[in-house]
Amino acid sequence: MTKKLIIDGQEIEVDDHLTLLQACELAGAEIPRFCYHERLSIAGNCRMCLVEAQGVPKPVASCAMGVSDLPPNRDGSPKQISTKSPLVKKAREGVMEFLLINHPLDCPICDQGGECDLQDQAMAFGMGGSRFHENKRAVEEKNISPLIKTMMTRCIHCTRCVRYMTEVAGVEELGLISRGEGAEITTYLEQGILSEMSANVVDLCPVGALTHRPWAFNARPWEMRKTETIDAMDAVGSAIRVDTRGGAVMRILPRNNDAVNEEWISDKTRHVADGLKVQRLDTPYIRKNGRLEPASWDEALTLVGEKLKAADPSRIGAIAGDLAGAEEMFALKDLFTRLGSKNFDCRQAGDKLDPKLGRASYVFNTTINGIEESDAILIIGSNPRIEAPVLNARIRKRWRTGQLKHVGLIGTNAPLTYPVAHLGAGTDTLADVASGKHSFAQVLRAAQKPMIIVGQGAFARVDGLAVLALAAQIALSACEGKDAAWNGFNVLHTAAARVAGLDLGFVPADGGRDTAGILQPDMQVVYLLGADECDLGASGGAFTVYQGSHGDHGAARADVVLPGSAYTEKSVTYVNTEGRAQQTMKAAFAPGEAKEDWTIIRALSARAGKTLPYDDLTALRAAMYKTAPQLAAHDTVEARAMSGLGMLAKLSGALSPEPFVAAIEDFYLTNPIARASAVMAGMSALKANAQKSALKAAE
């Protein structure tokens, strides 16, 4: 239902389920607030959002009063609301005076300076002075997290952080104790919070009580250049903002994208920035006498070109890593195809995904936003909490509405942030669900919009295709006779590069070798495009070329190292797990002599005698879009019908009795950039120690 209101003299018709604050903002009024946040429950703590409502004797907190709660006028006329009356002005000034009673005057040394809501609203809605002359209170600092620096004397008890950790992150360890002036936000037991999304509380804090410890006192907001781009730490494709000063990335912050990450990012996404500065490859290297020695670009490219020309095409291969962009994968595949090779693969982990089975067989068909419509979920071989924390928060968000009745898990039993029924550990349980013997099969059939989420721990196995086929059968059976637009089959990737690689067909051509085959001892040349997660020990005496940004596992094994760019240093296309193509923007320049990856491959093609037909990024992308038109549709997800799973569901194969094992062991150390980060190393050690302590306590 709708309701008419007169807000500051303007008549407006709004839905009656809105809050008064939302109605006022729709009318163009500016309502100050500290405790209110659109994605959190309503607390009504700060009282800054006071407005005057006709027929109500006192100013009302507009965040806590719904439009439907307003008493009707006797004559049926629309209710009048004032946001600028003298009463409202005086009330806001009084509230601001109270909030500033104990707040220290330390803006010059506060990391929130320049981005502080309290500072801005005190100037806009506060008084010119204070009548408080007594001693201000002092509060001890809290051990909330190694990532969060606390200055709790600044806290105004808006409880945004408490509500976020409880409602969104699902870690109910933060709360408010005591009352009145003695009230404090604390973790109760003075233990650090080990949540994969804990640092979002800093963005929510309106007063600088919580700031980021890793980049404390490093820069001011107005000193930094801000670039809107895309995250590559997982396959979610979170919208981020990279702030740089000079040539260095200072910090990474979330951007709002309701379809993907809302306004949250994982702690790894946020605090991996220091890993971009260390262990960088900034000049080409050639191995001489068992040691990597600096070389010129001409020398390195010439050597690699000669090796490629001299080698048997059937004995050269390329592997694309988890952080590779679509442009460089396309160029590398094009080069190797021109050289006569069929050996290239983007599936480092041995994934049994095949683009020939249709795009619906390897993407998150429901979409991330579609999770908020589901009423039953089956998770197979995945731990979304560490593989995709932001996606996991969506599942929790849906569960909190009370409409997600059942979540089943097949695989390693892990503590997720919502109740999960652990059905079993391996393929025997999966087969029972597929055949209808297991009770959860009836749960899925009874659901209106069921979801099946298959993780890398299930499809990166010898029997991966058979597992995917069973999951597709379950999805087809569960969705039969229901909403035709709903595709409940979902593949959850862990690598930003994987979907784009599959879209481009960066998998072995007929008769070609996959990752395991490329790493066999009989190969002559192996080209690693940022591939650090595969087992390089079996590659024997093959001439190995590593192209990447960091000196990690691949560079240590290489005979030639070609320094590339990190994801913040180039404009490339990433496709997230739901098949959404997104483009990064260049926020900083690569260090030293490092270059953008596609330009390295283009230069190498000339030395290998197979010059690629594009000299700039525009021409490359035009050729790429002809091969994979879906990459040109930025920030969109096409509908994929259940019929697209037909080929996959018909497959069969022997199932291994081995249980499903999580694809990620350590959330903080999943790629070369993260492994170069001191912050991530510290968090990894802290998490490991906490797990050891928990095991000892359990014994």
Side-chain angles (χ1 to χ4, degrees):
M1 292 182 62
T2 60
K3 195 169 185 177
K4 288 184 179 180
L5 297 174
I6 299 175
I7 300 174
D8 294 335
Q10 176 188 347
E11 186 172 310
I12 184 173
E13 189 170 351
V14 298
D15 290 330
D16 63 358
H17 66 268
L18 296 180
T19 64
L20 198 53
L21 185 151
Q22 292 169 320
C24 290
E25 290 193 329
L26 286 175
E30 183 181 2
I31 307 295
R33 85 291 299 268
F34 292 115
C35 68
Y36 176 79
H37 192 277
E38 292 82 356
R39 304 191 193 277
L40 303 176
S41 61
I42 294 171
N45 292 340
C46 72
R47 321 305 286 184
M48 261 316 283
C49 64
L50 294 174
V51 298
E52 187 177 2
Q54 180 186 1
V56 183
K58 298 180 183 178
V60 298
S62 58
C63 71
M65 176 169 277
V67 171
S68 59
D69 298 330
L70 289 169
N73 290 333
R74 292 182 177 180
D75 59 358
S77 60
K79 210 69 169 174
Q80 295 192 36
I81 309 296
S82 177
T83 68
K84 301 176 182 178
S85 68
L87 178 65
V88 173
K89 183 177 183 296
K90 186 178 179 182
R92 289 174 180 172
E93 287 176 349
V95 170
M96 184 60 70
E97 189 177 8
F98 272 113
L99 291 176
L100 293 175
I101 277 178
N102 285 309
H103 193 84
L105 303 177
D106 63 346
C107 297
I109 64 163
C110 178
D111 261 353
Q112 199 84 346
E115 299 174 325
C116 179
D117 292 342
L118 183 65
Q119 198 176 58
D120 295 341
Q121 294 186 38
M123 293 295 294
F125 304 102
M127 298 176 63
S130 175
R131 292 168 287 181
F132 182 81
H133 301 291
E134 287 75 18
N135 292 329
K136 292 179 178 284
R137 73 167 187 167
V139 182
E140 291 184 1
E141 307 311 333
K142 309 299 179 186
N143 177 23
I144 291 181
S145 166
L147 303 177
I148 303 170
K149 181 179 176 62
T150 61
M151 186 66 74
M152 302 311 292
T153 301
R154 300 172 184 158
C155 181
I156 63 170
H157 304 154
C158 69
T159 67
R160 279 186 179 184
C161 56
V162 177
R163 285 175 283 150
Y164 167 81
M165 294 303 302
T166 302
E167 297 166 12
V168 179
V171 181
E172 301 178 3
E173 295 177 7
L174 198 64
L176 186 144
I177 61 172
S178 195
R179 56 190 298 188
E181 192 177 71
E184 297 181 15
I185 302 290
T186 180
T187 56
Y188 303 117
L189 300 177
E190 292 291 322
Q191 294 178 349
I193 296 172
L194 290 175
S195 168
E196 294 77 17
M197 298 179 62
S198 63
N200 287 298
V201 298
V202 177
D203 298 329
L204 293 171
C205 182
V207 298
L210 307 175
T211 55
H212 292 294
R213 192 181 297 277
W215 64 65
F217 311 123
N218 281 332
R220 289 295 195 183
W222 55 84
E223 300 175 335
M224 296 182 283
R225 187 167 63 91
K226 302 166 180 61
T227 306
E228 295 185 350
T229 184
I230 303 298
D231 174 52
M233 290 296 106
D234 54 30
V236 174
S238 300
I240 59 173
R241 193 188 85 192
V242 177
D243 290 357
T244 57
R245 186 177 66 180
V249 174
M250 302 304 294
R251 64 179 185 176
I252 298 172
L253 298 174
R255 290 190 295 119
N256 189 78
N257 187 339
D258 287 341
V260 182
N261 61 305
E262 298 184 301
E263 59 188 83
W264 321 122
I265 54 175
S266 72
D267 290 352
K268 181 168 57 179
T269 295
R270 186 186 299 269
H271 287 296
V272 81
D274 68 314
L276 293 165
K277 305 172 187 176
V278 297
Q279 210 171 318
R280 293 302 303 269
L281 300 174
D282 57 0
T283 191
Y285 289 89
I286 295 177
R287 190 174 297 277
K288 298 177 181 178
N289 300 320
R291 294 174 59 90
L292 287 172
E293 297 182 4
S296 67
W297 271 108
D298 184 69
E299 186 182 2
L301 291 175
T302 300
L303 176 58
V304 177
E306 290 174 352
K307 291 288 185 180
L308 288 172
K309 284 194 290 186
D312 180 353
S314 65
R315 296 173 66 187
I316 62 174
I319 303 173
D322 293 352
L323 301 179
E327 284 80 358
E328 52 254 36
M329 284 192 288
F330 173 77
L332 187 59
K333 181 190 175 185
D334 196 359
L335 172 59
F336 270 65
T337 302
R338 292 170 186 268
L339 289 168
S341 175
K342 300 179 179 180
N343 311 319
F344 30 78
D345 203 350
C346 64
R347 305 164 300 180
Q348 278 193 103
D351 308 349
K352 304 305 179 187
L353 301 167
D354 192 343
K356 293 179 181 178
L357 298 173
R359 203 173 192 226
S361 69
Y362 61 84
V363 296
F364 204 93
N365 295 290
T366 303
T367 73
I368 296 171
N369 202 31
I371 293 172
E372 299 189 23
E373 300 179 39
S374 177
D375 51 355
I377 298 177
L378 174 62
I379 302 172
I380 305 168
S382 175
N383 181 350
R385 179 171 175 176
I386 62 175
E387 294 173 19
V390 174
L391 185 145
N392 190 68
R394 283 290 185 117
I395 300 177
R396 175 173 172 81
K397 179 182 179 182
R398 178 61 174 173
W399 169 76
R400 290 190 71 252
T401 65
Q403 298 179 68
L404 178 57
K405 305 291 186 182
H406 305 277
V407 180
L409 173 64
I410 302 176
T412 304
N413 193 12
L416 303 180
T417 57
Y418 39 85
V420 174
H422 186 237
L423 309 181
T427 54
D428 52 346
T429 307
L430 182 65
D432 287 344
V433 176
S435 63
K437 296 178 182 178
H438 200 284
S439 58
F440 205 82
Q442 280 66 50
V443 170
L444 293 173
R445 291 196 186 101
Q448 292 303 306
K449 292 189 174 182
M451 286 180 61
I452 287 81
I453 300 176
V454 189
Q456 188 174 297
F459 58 75
R461 305 168 18 130
V462 176
D463 60 346
L465 269 179
V467 170
L468 284 168
L470 281 179
Q473 293 169 20
I474 294 170
L476 287 168
S477 175
C479 296
E480 187 178 3
K482 298 171 185 175
D483 187 350
W486 181 262
N487 187 337
F489 179 81
N490 303 284
V491 173
L492 179 57
H493 293 275
T494 60
R498 197 77 78 241
V499 177
L502 294 168
D503 282 345
L504 292 167
F506 202 98
V507 295
D510 293 337
R513 302 190 186 197
D514 60 6
T515 296
I518 293 171
L519 296 176
Q520 292 301 308
D522 64 325
M523 294 293 283
Q524 293 178 340
V525 180
V526 174
Y527 199 105
L528 304 176
L529 182 60
D532 295 276
E533 314 307 323
C534 49
D535 184 10
L536 302 172
S539 57
F543 184 83
T544 304
V545 182
Y546 179 81
Q547 177 182 330
S549 61
H550 284 69
D552 204 69
H553 304 317
R557 174 65 181 80
D559 296 293
V560 175
V561 174
L562 305 176
S565 302
Y567 70 104
T568 56
E569 300 159 358
K570 56 188 176 183
S571 176
V572 294
T573 303
Y574 286 112
V575 184
N576 76 348
T577 192
E578 58 181 350
R580 183 186 303 271
Q582 299 171 296
Q583 218 168 77
T584 67
M585 298 299 291
K586 189 175 196 174
F589 289 96
E593 297 181 46
K595 302 182 183 298
E596 292 193 29
D597 291 276
W598 80 267
T599 63
I600 299 172
I601 298 167
R602 171 61 179 81
L604 175 61
S605 69
R607 308 301 174 96
K610 302 291 182 181
T611 305
L612 297 176
Y614 28 80
D615 297 323
D616 56 44
L617 192 57
T618 303
L620 185 154
R621 283 176 173 161
M624 182 176 72
Y625 295 155
K626 289 181 180 178
T627 300
Q630 62 269 36
L631 300 188
H634 293 160
D635 206 30
T636 59
V637 180
E638 80 278 10
R640 292 176 288 269
M642 289 295 295
S643 58
L645 298 175
M647 292 176 63
L648 177 61
K650 292 177 182 176
L651 297 179
S652 61
L655 293 170
S656 171
E658 297 295 321
F660 298 127
V661 180
I664 295 177
E665 295 181 2
D666 192 332
F667 167 73
Y668 299 101
L669 305 175
T670 55
N671 59 65
I673 302 175
R675 287 191 286 271
S677 167
V679 176
M680 293 296 101
M683 291 301 298
S684 175
L686 188 69
K687 188 70 174 284
N689 290 333
Q691 289 174 343
K692 287 179 182 177
S693 300
L695 288 172
K696 287 182 179 178
E699 291 174 357

